[in-house]
Amino acid sequence: MKQITVVIVGMGFGKEFIPIYQKHPAIKRVGICTRNPETLRELKERFNLDDDLIFTNYEDVPKRADVDAIHIVTPVPEHARMTLASLNAGKHTACTIPMAMTVEDCKAIVEARKKSGKVYMMMETALYTREFLYGLKLAESGELGRIQFVRGSHIQDMSMPGWDEYWKGYPPMLNGTHAISPLLRINNTKAESVVCHGSGRLSEDLASRYGSPFAVETATFTLKNSDVVAEATRSLFDVVRQYRESYDVYGTKMSFEWEQLQDEGHSVFDGGENARRMECPDTDEMLIPEIAHFTKREKIDDPNHVSFLQGAGHGGSHPHLVQEFLAAIVEGRESAVDAHMAANYTCAGICAHESAMNGGKRIQIPDFE
């Protein structure tokens, strides 16, 4: 098996990936990069990391000939720049969501990946939660029947302590992939066009930061080669609700609705007025044995990180992301969320925000194929 040296950039929730990579048999060595020297020292000792793979300056990472892959887990405004630097240096590249903040940067990344011939993967946690993988299995097995409608939401309070300053006033759909990608993936398609409406008003301080007034943005998407319309809603500030990152799918044989409150149970409808609560099974059997146990909530290293306090540990998705990224490298193939797919998921949200800012004008989403 090909042995891979990977460097993880960004030690917020990025540090959760260190032990997963270390346990994977395809990994030769793991390095980290963060500007905080105290964090570097602490993590180096805890995970017994090699001195020569400890970085404080990202620009030094792509230059290293012995680094095969870079996994970017940094603030959103850094994604495009770091991804392009990695791909242009000939490194396999994984990046947390979203791919970029503009359509132009998404196009540049698609081109850079094509030119490099390396694996790119957007590490979309929503596509590897136990809840989504359960619904995907229902769809692919035919148990849902013909899908008639899908709805997603991502509602959270980013005024909580722990979020970076750049999030304040961030337009809801500009980073919409958690709400959008499950709707597209379960229909095995891409978004073609969008109509989006903004609702409510942010406080003036928040609205002025990005020139975006809306507290909530709700979009409807037409899908390629499908008669299904997908609906997604996103909010970040000035809306009171427990965190909810969800998808609902309605079929001719069965329907699934995400739980309204965390840990109260999801709902399955299988005919007539039949309804039942259920917990989605764990997904450890889908993983290689060495990293299967990382699906469990108790394996989260820092459960008090704001991303996990609100996101319930990302639904056990982290080892799935690592397994798919490394498998694509070893097998010499595209990843499951490759550059074309990631660009569509990301630009669906970017175009939705553009639509909202233009009074609900229908916007065509670029075709990156």
Side-chain angles (χ1 to χ4, degrees), residues 192-213:
E192 281 193 324
S193 71
V194 59
V195 171
C196 184
H197 293 282
S199 180
R201 289 293 182 272
L202 293 176
S203 65
E204 185 54 36
D205 172 59
L206 292 173
S208 64
R209 294 178 182 236
Y210 287 88
S212 176

Side-chain angles (χ1 to χ4, degrees), residues 18 34 43 46 49 52 82 92 109 122 134 172 205-206 210 213 239 246-247 279 285 288 310 321 328 333 358:
I18 299 172
T34 182
L43 295 176
R46 190 194 315 176
L49 301 170
D52 67 324
M82 290 184 170
H92 301 291
I109 292 170
M122 187 172 77
Y134 172 79
D205 172 59
L206 292 173
Y210 287 88
V239 174
S246 71
Y247 78 97
E279 294 294 330
E285 80 285 350
I288 60 173
Q310 291 195 312
L321 295 169
R333 59 171 174 82
N358 285 277

Side-chain angles (χ1 to χ4, degrees), residues 130-297:
R130 59 184 65 87
E131 294 86 359
F132 178 71
L133 291 173
Y134 172 79
L136 183 63
K137 184 177 180 181
L138 293 179
E140 293 181 340
S141 68
E143 290 179 75
L144 288 176
R146 185 174 68 257
I147 294 176
Q148 302 283 39
F149 181 62
V150 286
R151 175 189 293 119
S153 72
H154 184 191
I155 299 172
Q156 66 186 117
D157 178 7
M158 297 193 83
S159 66
M160 287 178 62
W163 292 108
D164 287 343
E165 185 71 14
Y166 77 87
W167 280 116
K168 292 183 178 179
Y170 201 98
M173 273 294 173
L174 196 58
N175 180 15
T177 67
H178 284 340
I180 297 167
S181 60
L183 314 181
L184 306 184
R185 176 66 185 93
I186 204 166
N187 282 285
N188 195 30
T189 188
K190 296 180 179 180
E192 281 193 324
S193 71
V194 59
V195 171
C196 184
H197 293 282
S199 180
R201 289 293 182 272
L202 293 176
S203 65
E204 185 54 36
D205 172 59
L206 292 173
S208 64
R209 294 178 182 236
Y210 287 88
S212 176
F214 304 120
V216 181
E217 290 178 339
T218 296
T220 52
F221 301 91
T222 60
L223 309 184
K224 186 175 182 179
N225 299 323
S226 175
D227 55 9
V228 174
V229 169
E231 175 193 290
T233 297
R234 181 88 159 94
S235 72
L236 300 172
F237 293 94
D238 289 350
V239 174
V240 176
R241 200 208 188 280
Q242 182 187 53
Y243 182 98
R244 189 173 191 246
E245 180 185 317
S246 71
Y247 78 97
D248 302 328
V249 55
Y250 300 91
T252 55
K253 295 180 180 178
M254 181 184 289
S255 297
F256 172 89
E257 289 184 353
W258 192 284
E259 61 193 3
Q260 283 290 329
L261 301 178
Q262 185 174 311
D263 297 326
E264 75 170 1
H266 309 288
S267 300
V268 170
F269 307 87
D270 56 7
E273 293 299 303
N274 294 340
R276 58 184 171 87
R277 296 280 191 190
M278 56 85 64
E279 294 294 330
C280 292
D282 201 4
T283 54
D284 49 354
E285 80 285 350
M286 301 173 67
L287 294 158
I288 60 173
E290 292 88 343
I291 62 172
H293 61 291
F294 287 105
T295 61
K296 307 296 190 293
R297 280 192 196 180

Side-chain angles (χ1 to χ4, degrees), residues 106-145:
C106 288
K107 289 179 179 177
I109 292 170
V110 169
E111 289 302 311
R113 195 236 59 88
K114 182 179 179 181
K115 184 176 180 180
S116 73
K118 299 299 180 178
V119 170
Y120 170 88
M121 181 170 174
M122 187 172 77
M123 304 296 252
E124 175 53 84
T125 57
L127 297 180
Y128 289 95
T129 64
R130 59 184 65 87
E131 294 86 359
F132 178 71
L133 291 173
Y134 172 79
L136 183 63
K137 184 177 180 181
L138 293 179
E140 293 181 340
S141 68
E143 290 179 75
L144 288 176

